[in-house]
């Protein structure tokens, strides 16, 4: 095992943005809740945000946190939560794209109906992820100054990688779009008779203003996402072959986007005391032995990154009492006994 979660946090006093991710069903949400609870209990103003299209915060906390608004978590004075609702962002995107496409075709004097192009642009598979990414950037920029810590509960691996990767891809796309727009506007000036008038018009070019504004937001977000002192991504796995393999691949993907890796939490670890109890059946004993084998693999392949073990609790993690137990496990760093 490497540096414990407690030691890691102690070494990063300015850590503000923390993400949890991993294969579906490994305990990403309860890990995020445990981290958020820990900071809130320390008296720090903390916000937990679900970026998962299938939100689970309401279920884990046992209270209604849905609605896309930031809500105070009942029973936790310094903790707020938000299950991001991208409906409004998606609608705003559709309106912006439709308006810009119509303007472009009118400006380029292209006499065709733009509606089919608008339909294609707003129904592609990445459209909703782009909207979710935009809302995440909003939280980072707007709420970053309001809260001491912000914890993001991400979707399963593929969605999370694409979501975080958009920061890099957007940057490249925006640079290309801005250059292309600059060239188009420069050509318009070159071909015009009344250059002074055209120069004044292109200073107010709405498309260029949109692109520059988006580029500025993206730069701010990328600086924060790539800051090793302010941002960390924590991976969650269980002692099973598939989640371990997924985390190993996921680490490389996240590093490729320059997102700082915070470490790995191992969830659903069966305490040895369970199999030592009188009457423990063969199933539990075999399951324990199987887990021990996978824990050896975790120590061998991810040892330096393992920050904490979360035990397999006898009841489901719902409500603040159980979240506190997860938080305690994250902080202890000890193997469940």
């Amino acid at each position: 095992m490497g540096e414990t979660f407690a030691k890691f946090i102690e070494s990063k006093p300015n850590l503000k943005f923390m993400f949890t991710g991993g294969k579906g069903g490994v305990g990403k949400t309860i890990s995020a809740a445990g981290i958020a609870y820990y900071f809130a209990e320390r008296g720090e103003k903390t916000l937990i945000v679900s970026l998962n299209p299938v939100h689970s915060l309401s279920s884990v906390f046992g209270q209604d946190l849905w609605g896309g608004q930031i809500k105070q978590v009942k029973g936790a004075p310094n903790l707020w939560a938000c299950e991001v609702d991208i409906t409004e962002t998606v609608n705003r995107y559709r309106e912006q794209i439709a308006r810009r496409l119509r303007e472009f075709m009118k400006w380029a004097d292209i006499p065709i109906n733009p509606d089919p192009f608008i339909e294609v642009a707003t129904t592609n598979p990445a459209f909703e992820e782009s909207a979710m990414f935009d809302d995440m950037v909003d939280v980072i920029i707007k709420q970053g100054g309001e809260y001491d810590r912000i914890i993001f509960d991400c979707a399963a691996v593929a969605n999370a990688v694409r979501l975080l990767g958009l920061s890099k891809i957007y940057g490249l796309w925006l640079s290309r779009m801005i250059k292309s727009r600059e060239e188009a506007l420069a050509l318009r000036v070159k071909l015009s008779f009344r250059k002074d008038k055209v120069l004044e018009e292109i200073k107010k070019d709405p498309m260029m203003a949109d692109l520059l504004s988006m580029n500025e937001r993206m730069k701010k977000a990328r600086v924060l996402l790539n800051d090793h002192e302010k941002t960390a991504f924590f991976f969650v796995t269980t002692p099973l072959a598939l989640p371990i393999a997924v985390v190993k691949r996921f680490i490389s993907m996240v590093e490729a986007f320059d997102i700082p890796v915070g470490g790995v939490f191992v969830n659903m670890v069966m305490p040895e005391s369970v199999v030592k109890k009188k009457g423990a059946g063969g199933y539990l004993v075999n399951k324990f032995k199987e887990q021990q084998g996978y824990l050896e693999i975790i120590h061998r392949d991810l040892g330096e990154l393992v920050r904490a073990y979360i035990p397999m609790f006898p009841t489901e993690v719902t409500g603040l009492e159980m979240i506190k137990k997860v938080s305690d496990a994250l902080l202890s760093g000890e193997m469940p006994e």
Side-chain angles (χ1 to χ4, degrees), residues 22 37 41 61 64 86 116 138 151 182 197 209 219 227 230 232 303 325:
Y37 184 89
E41 280 294 288
F61 281 94
D64 180 16
I86 61 170
D138 256 0
I151 321 299
E182 284 173 343
K197 181 174 180 292
K219 280 181 181 174
D227 189 330
K230 292 184 177 176
K325 290 183 179 179

Side-chain angles (χ1 to χ4, degrees), residues 24 43 69 81 85 96 107 110 124-125 138 144 160 168 198 208 218 228 262-263 268 286 293-294 308:
Q69 304 298 316
D85 179 8
Q96 282 177 349
W107 185 77
I110 300 173
N124 72 75
D138 256 0
K168 196 169 187 175
V198 173
M208 180 60 92
M218 210 52 57
H228 285 247
M268 301 286 286
N286 288 337
Y294 285 123

Side-chain angles (χ1 to χ4, degrees), residues 104-177:
F104 173 78
M105 290 187 175
K106 183 181 173 184
W107 185 77
D109 200 21
I110 300 173
I112 58 175
N113 180 6
D115 290 347
F117 296 95
I118 294 168
E119 186 65 21
V120 169
T122 58
T123 54
N124 72 75
F127 193 71
E128 292 200 353
E129 272 169 3
S130 299
M132 183 67 85
F133 177 77
D134 205 40
D135 281 357
M136 182 186 80
V137 171
D138 256 0
V139 171
I140 289 174
I141 292 175
K142 291 180 182 175
Q143 308 303 332
E146 295 292 320
Y147 292 87
D148 299 313
R149 316 277 181 169
I150 299 179
I151 321 299
F152 291 99
D153 173 29
C154 289
V157 175
N159 297 71
V161 167
R162 286 200 297 269
L163 185 68
L164 295 175
L166 282 172
S167 64
K168 196 169 187 175
I169 295 165
Y170 254 150
L172 295 171
W173 177 79
L174 281 167
S175 298
R176 184 69 61 85
M177 286 294 291

